Structure formats: C-alpha cells, structure tokens
Amino acid sequence: MKHIVSCEIIKDLLPNYIENILSNEGNELVKSHIDSCSNCRKECEIISSNLSIDSIGKAKVDYLKKINKKFLIILISLLLVTVISTILLVFYSEPNIDEGILTLIFLVFVIIAIIIKYVIPLIGLVFSIVYLKKTHKKFLIIPIIIFGILLFKSLYIYIRNLIYY
Ligand SMILES: [Zn+2]
C-alpha cells in the first residue's frame, strides 16, 4: 500500500502524537499511517514505552524525595528528644530502690531511662548512618557524632558499674 505521507514525516510527528498535542488533523494523519505501516507502528510503540519509563523514573525520584524528607524529620525529632532527655536526666539523678509504690515508679523510670540512654541513641545512630549513605549529606556527621557519643558514654557507664558491683 502506498502511503500519502512519508515515514520520515510521521516519525517527526510521533513524539507529539504520543503526548497527544497534535491537531485533530495531524492525529488522524498519524493514526491512519500507523494503521497501515508496521515500521512506524513499531517506532510508535518504542517511543511510548520509553516515555512511560521516563514518567516512572520521575515518580520514583519524587517518592524518594518524600522518603528522604520523612527520614530527616524522624532524625531531627530523635535528636531533639535525646538532647532534651539527657539534659533532664542530668538534673534528675537515679533514685535509690525503695519499697512499695516507689519501686514501681522507679522501675518505670529505669525503663524510660534505658530507652532514652540506649535505644534512642542507637536508633538515631543507625538512622543517621543509613541516611548519610543514601544522600551523602556531610552535615549528617554531626548527629552521628552526637548519637555515637551518647551511646558509647552510656555503655561505658553501664559496663563500669557492672565491674564495680
Ligand atoms: Zn511509515
């Protein structure tokens, strides 16, 4: 079958045809050509699949950006909680074990203290290192150092107390 327009012209029009920005006349022209020309039909499929890959890639980047933002918010809140609790812990030194309700209160206090002293710095440390590896942002060294110092200081005191008793 003889084509009214050459394949070259159709190939020029294909990207616009796929993005649906051609005039009605142009659309009809490309559509009728593709229906009868297998070469241009293939070309059209290749271009449209490439375009969809592009949009998937863009969606992925947007998604990663969102995750990174969430990551950063979690990191900053962890850092704030740790710093504030550490300051508070300095003013409220650990009480001695007493009988009755005081023991219960002390137990709760100890659990909270353990979470603040070990769990939060550990989570913060892991979060900052993972985040640093993902984004290569140099300022993340600061939370890593703070969380690291807090964790190792707590562990050092814990081990020293174990040796003493
Ligand atoms: Zn053709």
Side-chain angles (χ1 to χ4, degrees), residues 24 26 50 76 112 127 134-136 141 144 148:
N24 283 339
N50 281 347
I76 290 168
I112 294 168
F127 258 87
K134 258 188 167 179
T135 60
H136 302 285
I141 298 286
I144 288 175

Side-chain angles (χ1 to χ4, degrees), residues 39-51:
N39 270 346
C40 290
R41 196 164 46 236
K42 265 184 199 160
E43 186 78 20
C44 178
E45 277 161 14
I46 290 167
I47 294 175
S48 48
S49 66
N50 281 347
L51 276 179

Side-chain angles (χ1 to χ4, degrees), residues 76-138:
I76 290 168
S77 10
L78 274 178
L79 198 64
L80 274 177
V81 170
T82 321
V83 170
I84 291 168
S85 340
T86 309
I87 292 166
L88 285 176
L89 273 179
V90 171
F91 289 104
Y92 294 95
S93 53
E94 288 172 42
N96 293 317
I97 299 176
D98 228 325
E99 296 299 315
I101 304 163
L102 273 178
T103 314
L104 202 70
I105 295 167
F106 176 68
L107 210 66
V108 173
F109 184 82
V110 166
I111 291 167
I112 294 168
I114 285 171
I115 291 171
I116 291 166
K117 282 169 97 177
Y118 305 108
V119 180
I120 291 179
L122 186 68
I123 294 170
L125 197 66
V126 172
F127 258 87
S128 339
I129 291 169
V130 171
Y131 194 59
L132 178 75
K133 276 191 174 170
K134 258 188 167 179
T135 60
H136 302 285
K137 282 178 181 155
K138 281 194 178 128

Side-chain angles (χ1 to χ4, degrees), residues 130-160:
V130 171
Y131 194 59
L132 178 75
K133 276 191 174 170
K134 258 188 167 179
T135 60
H136 302 285
K137 282 178 181 155
K138 281 194 178 128
F139 72 87
L140 283 166
I141 298 286
I142 298 162
I144 288 175
I145 290 170
I146 294 173
F147 282 127
I149 288 171
L150 283 170
L151 186 65
F152 284 111
K153 202 188 125 222
S154 307
L155 283 176
Y156 168 72
I157 292 167
Y158 177 73
I159 291 166
R160 202 190 55 185

Side-chain angles (χ1 to χ4, degrees), residues 3 5-8 10-11 33-34 36-41:
H3 301 303
V5 272
S6 75
C7 290
E8 284 306 308
I10 294 301
K11 275 173 190 165
H33 181 96
I34 285 175
S36 59
C37 173
S38 59
N39 270 346
C40 290
R41 196 164 46 236

